[in-house]
Amino acid sequence: MSRTTAAIAASATVFALLLAGCSDDSSSAAPAAPAATTMPAPTYQVEATKAGMFVVSYRNAFPKLAQGRDDAAVAAVLNHSCSEIKAGKSEADTVATIKKAAKNGNTEATTEEATAVYQMSTLMC
């Protein structure tokens, strides 16, 4: 239950930042290729500012999924989900892709976590 609450809080934070027009071009998040997964490279790259906001929210909401991953690897989760959304894939298909992209070693994203990432992604893509 606390993971879902954290994911909702992260989504609200991202939404608030987007509404406030928060921008920082010095973000260390760059377009990324997937790390620690065998997924193909995403077809869509989110701009660095939005990717940076996502990385911060993701790390706070899902520490086990983010542990040991650099910003580029975390941003790749967003890029994969945006690639699916832009391609017109269904929410269920996109959530399945997010679960694959978010996998970190033996730690897999729950459906609730992947759905929270999907909701954050729809705001950022």
Side-chain angles (χ1 to χ4, degrees), residues 8-121:
I8 291 169
S11 295
T13 300
V14 169
F15 186 66
L17 288 173
L18 286 173
L19 287 178
C22 182
S23 177
D24 180 6
D25 290 337
S26 65
S27 173
S28 63
T37 66
T38 57
M39 295 196 60
T43 58
Y44 182 82
Q45 299 292 314
V46 176
E47 65 183 62
T49 302
K50 289 181 181 180
M53 288 188 292
F54 175 82
V55 168
V56 170
S57 296
Y58 187 91
R59 288 190 186 286
N60 287 326
F62 315 113
K64 289 182 180 177
L65 294 172
Q67 183 177 2
R69 297 177 98 177
D70 64 11
D71 289 353
V74 173
V77 176
L78 175 63
N79 289 325
H80 278 291
S81 61
C82 288
S83 295
E84 297 279 305
I85 291 167
K86 295 289 185 186
K89 301 276 177 103
S90 70
E91 180 177 345
D93 289 342
T94 304
V95 167
T97 297
I98 291 168
K99 288 175 83 170
K100 290 177 190 173
K103 185 175 180 181
N104 188 6
N106 292 330
T107 304
E108 295 184 11
T110 65
T111 301
E112 293 80 18
E113 290 169 331
T115 300
V117 171
Y118 174 81
Q119 291 168 350
M120 288 192 311
S121 300

